[in-house]
Amino acid sequence: MPWGCSVSEAHRHLNPADLARMLRYATDWLGVYREQVNALNVYPVPDGDTGTNMHLTMQSVRRELDTCEETSMPQVARAISYGALLGARGNSGVILSQLLKGFAEVIKDQKVVDAPTLARAFQAAQRVGYGAVMKPVEGTILTVARGVAEGARGDDIETVLEQALFKGQELLDQTPEMLPALKQAGVIDSGGQGYLYIVQGMLAQLRGEALPPAPDITSYAQEQFENEEFGFCTEFLMSEATKPIEEIRELVTPFGDSLLVVGAEGYVKGHIHTNEPDQLLATVGRYGKMLKTKVEDMSEQHTEILGMAGSAARAEEEVPASGLVAVASGYGLVKLFRSLGARIVSGGQTANPSVQDIVDAVRSVSAERVVILPNNKNVLMAAEKAMELMEGRAVVVPTRTLGQGMGAALNFSPDTPAEDLKEAMTEAAGAVTTLEVTRASRTTNITVKDGRTLDIKEGDVIGLMDDELVQSGGSPDDSVLEMLGRHYEGQEIITVFGGPQKTQDDLDALADRIGAAHAGAEVETHLGGPDLYDYLVTLE
């Protein structure tokens, strides 16, 4: 409640700052229940991260609210809509972003939000949410949003929120009868539950209620399902699109299901479950500037979630001596790190994870101590701070590139104490040379270590060796060959990861050129390299 207001005044209407406070608190409220929502998830496939994705989406809203002018309702409305779109993660996060977009459209022209306006905002949220999904399915977050909209009635803000929650809960309780997967697992819909926690958090802030303790998680809905080949959960964020959203949606529709393509203010956000993530991203990338991509192997993610459930059930049993946390992006690299036993923190260049992100990952690993691989010089400090906060439960191997991280991870063993691993993994990381090919973000000229001066224009291809600029100009393939010509020292294996817009044909052609120039080396290629890079190459 705002200072200086009576209860009746505070509950009669909300000014922009009131609304911003409510949504910040709703973010924290959802955060308390994040893992509980994760544990409920079964639809449309067991990818198990609904609570995390919705919470990350709300955290993005909060970041925008923290920098907007809170005396202006249009500014607060824009922060809600814009922040939700840019931060949307996963199917549930993208749908949530559209619910918030509809909500914001109603409030943006108001000086204050009274009870009828709040009701209309929830109703608009439901309409926009349903409109964003090509094939709306009942028994999901959309059903619960409809319940919230139908229930949002009353003469004051508190009553509107109470009635919205009551009707939303009523429909949430019915979701197992609407979706066989929910009934099989004996759970309600996870996305719908997450949405109600957001509304519940808004009401709790209005009433001045303290955050509750996080509930104990004793089981995961994924335990009801066998591990199957679910394909890849694929997301992209693109700017400067040269085609309308409707045409981009049509382009990606043949690639799979669980499709969402939405946009605002020049950005296009997409989510789809597909077996062809590389072709999908290459197709979409032709029609705009790809800012961010994420591809998760859902069958492996399912296995990881079952492992979390298993670790909860075995809490009193002996745990491994060491666990592994790696910061990585690019589905091929993520898949490799996971295969080596790592829990993944999404991020890297231009998308540095927070200290809290790393701490949360360390806490989620069932092991006596955890080795952290930052894999980027800009993440190293955050990893070291996370280590300090864990008070002896973590050690950092100071990997500054993804290549170094791969070298270190290959030497990880869960049966070896983390302190003993640190020396061996650090030595292994130092034996890997990493070459990266990306594009210049500005025009400049730089004198590199060997004395050459590189004249670089914005958009030029540039090459880095172990994070040091060593080459510019030409095509991405030429950049790789030039760097190898200068820095290849007879290493046995050259591994090439292609970025989001590279195909297997591109990698095969580059591998042939490398093989012709360096006949003694074994060349391996993988799709799914990091965002914003044409190629990542390791020499070992």
Side-chain angles (χ1 to χ4, degrees):
M1 182 192 313
W3 290 104
C5 292
S6 68
V7 172
S8 59
E9 287 173 336
H11 290 198
R12 192 158 41 241
H13 64 258
L14 302 169
N15 63 37
D18 295 331
L19 190 60
R21 277 192 293 271
M22 289 176 77
L23 287 170
R24 288 193 189 94
Y25 201 70
T27 302
D28 293 335
W29 193 274
L30 176 61
V32 169
Y33 294 100
R34 180 184 62 190
E35 284 305 318
Q36 183 193 62
V37 175
N38 284 344
L40 291 172
N41 192 64
V42 297
Y43 181 83
V45 296
D47 53 0
D49 55 2
T50 298
T52 298
N53 285 340
M54 294 182 75
H55 189 230
L56 288 169
T57 303
M58 289 299 296
Q59 286 180 318
S60 181
V61 171
R62 180 165 59 189
R63 283 193 294 272
E64 291 297 320
L65 288 170
D66 288 345
T67 59
C68 80
E69 177 49 67
E70 288 191 5
T71 60
S72 165
M73 192 68 80
Q75 287 293 310
V76 168
R78 180 188 180 277
I80 295 169
S81 179
Y82 183 68
L85 177 65
L86 291 190
R89 309 281 187 100
N91 204 35
S92 54
V94 175
I95 294 175
L96 175 60
S97 77
Q98 297 309 286
L99 296 173
L100 292 172
K101 177 183 178 183
F103 185 96
E105 286 176 353
V106 169
I107 68 168
K108 66 182 181 181
D109 296 324
Q110 309 296 316
K111 291 185 178 179
V112 296
V113 173
D114 57 13
T117 303
L118 183 61
R120 286 191 289 107
F122 281 126
Q123 292 153 15
Q126 174 232 325
R127 287 195 301 273
V128 175
Y130 270 88
V133 180
M134 293 189 70
K135 296 178 181 179
V137 176
E138 294 301 334
T140 67
I141 185 175
L142 294 173
T143 301
V144 178
R146 175 163 56 83
V148 168
E150 291 172 357
R153 302 286 187 275
D155 296 329
D156 57 66
I157 298 295
E158 185 173 8
T159 303
V160 170
L161 291 171
E162 287 175 341
Q163 294 303 308
L165 281 169
F166 180 82
K167 184 64 175 179
Q169 185 68 53
E170 183 179 288
L171 289 193
L172 178 63
D173 291 340
Q174 295 173 20
T175 55
E177 301 305 317
M178 301 178 190
L179 280 176
L182 297 177
K183 193 167 187 177
Q184 177 186 347
V187 296
I188 52 180
D189 178 66
S190 57
Q193 179 66 86
Y195 187 56
L196 284 194
Y197 280 139
I198 292 169
V199 180
Q200 193 179 90
M202 295 172 70
L203 180 60
Q205 195 281 331
L206 190 73
R207 291 174 169 172
E209 296 177 7
L211 290 174
D216 293 330
I217 310 301
T218 58
S219 65
Y220 285 73
Q222 284 81 1
E223 293 176 283
Q224 303 296 323
F225 298 87
E226 295 182 0
N227 190 5
E228 300 176 5
E229 184 61 41
F230 296 120
F232 297 90
C233 177
T234 305
E235 299 178 25
F236 62 86
L237 177 65
M238 186 168 67
S239 67
E240 302 173 23
T242 58
K243 284 184 176 291
I245 289 175
E246 293 74 17
E247 291 188 30
I248 294 174
R249 188 180 292 130
E250 290 177 6
L251 280 171
V252 301
T253 296
F255 283 94
D257 59 14
S258 296
L259 171 67
L260 285 166
V261 178
V262 298
E265 299 194 20
Y267 292 90
V268 177
K269 183 90 176 188
H271 171 282
I272 188 170
H273 292 168
T274 179
N275 287 321
E276 302 175 306
D278 46 302
Q279 291 93 330
L280 168 70
L281 294 174
T283 299
V284 174
R286 300 184 192 119
Y287 303 105
K289 182 179 181 181
M290 196 68 78
L291 300 179
K292 188 179 296 185
T293 64
K294 187 184 81 166
V295 180
E296 295 283 0
D297 184 327
M298 290 187 288
S299 61
E300 291 189 6
Q301 191 178 44
H302 174 59
T303 301
E304 183 173 290
I305 292 159
L306 291 181
M308 290 169 64
S311 66
R314 299 189 302 271
E316 296 183 1
E317 298 181 11
E318 184 178 351
V319 298
S322 296
L324 183 63
V325 165
V327 179
S329 67
Y331 71 89
L333 287 159
V334 166
K335 183 176 182 179
L336 174 60
F337 278 113
R338 277 211 178 105
S339 72
L340 297 171
R343 182 65 48 82
I344 301 300
V345 178
S346 181
Q349 193 69 18
T350 76
N352 301 159
S354 68
V355 172
Q356 189 63 56
D357 291 334
I358 299 172
V359 167
D360 290 345
V362 170
R363 286 174 174 162
S364 75
V365 175
S366 178
E368 293 179 6
R369 301 185 76 186
V370 177
V371 178
I372 304 171
L373 302 178
N375 298 337
N376 187 289
K377 67 178 183 180
N378 294 327
V379 181
L380 181 56
M381 185 176 293
E384 290 172 342
K385 292 296 181 184
M387 178 181 67
E388 293 174 12
L389 289 173
M390 293 310 297
E391 297 179 341
R393 185 155 180 260
V395 299
V396 174
V397 173
T399 52
R400 295 175 176 270
T401 68
L402 283 161
Q404 290 182 353
M406 285 186 280
L410 286 166
N411 285 266
F412 171 73
S413 169
D415 299 325
T416 304
E419 278 297 342
D420 294 342
L421 284 172
K422 181 176 180 179
E423 182 177 351
M425 292 176 73
T426 301
E427 183 179 348
V432 178
T433 298
T434 307
L435 309 178
E436 297 163 312
V437 179
T438 185
R439 308 299 173 108
S441 60
R442 60 188 178 90
T443 298
T444 186
N445 60 79
I446 294 178
T447 301
V448 296
K449 282 186 175 180
D450 62 10
R452 290 174 298 132
T453 298
L454 304 180
D455 292 317
I456 301 169
K457 295 181 180 179
E458 182 179 349
D460 279 356
V461 170
I462 54 174
L464 299 93
M465 185 187 76
D466 291 336
D467 215 33
E468 294 282 344
L469 185 65
V470 295
Q471 185 274 337
S472 67
S475 71
D477 291 38
D478 293 338
S479 177
V480 172
L481 268 295
E482 182 178 335
M483 285 193 289
L484 286 173
R486 290 178 180 273
H487 304 289
Y488 176 70
E489 297 176 344
Q491 291 92 337
E492 295 179 0
I493 301 174
I494 300 175
T495 305
V496 182
F497 286 86
Q501 298 185 38
K502 294 300 179 184
T503 66
Q504 188 60 53
D505 287 343
D506 295 329
L507 291 176
D508 291 343
L510 178 57
D512 288 343
R513 292 183 65 185
I514 294 173
H518 305 285
E522 177 184 345
V523 182
E524 298 180 1
T525 63
H526 302 274
L527 292 166
D531 297 340
L532 305 180
Y533 286 81
D534 293 277
Y535 294 112
L536 181 143
V537 181
T538 64
L539 311 178
E540 52 188 311

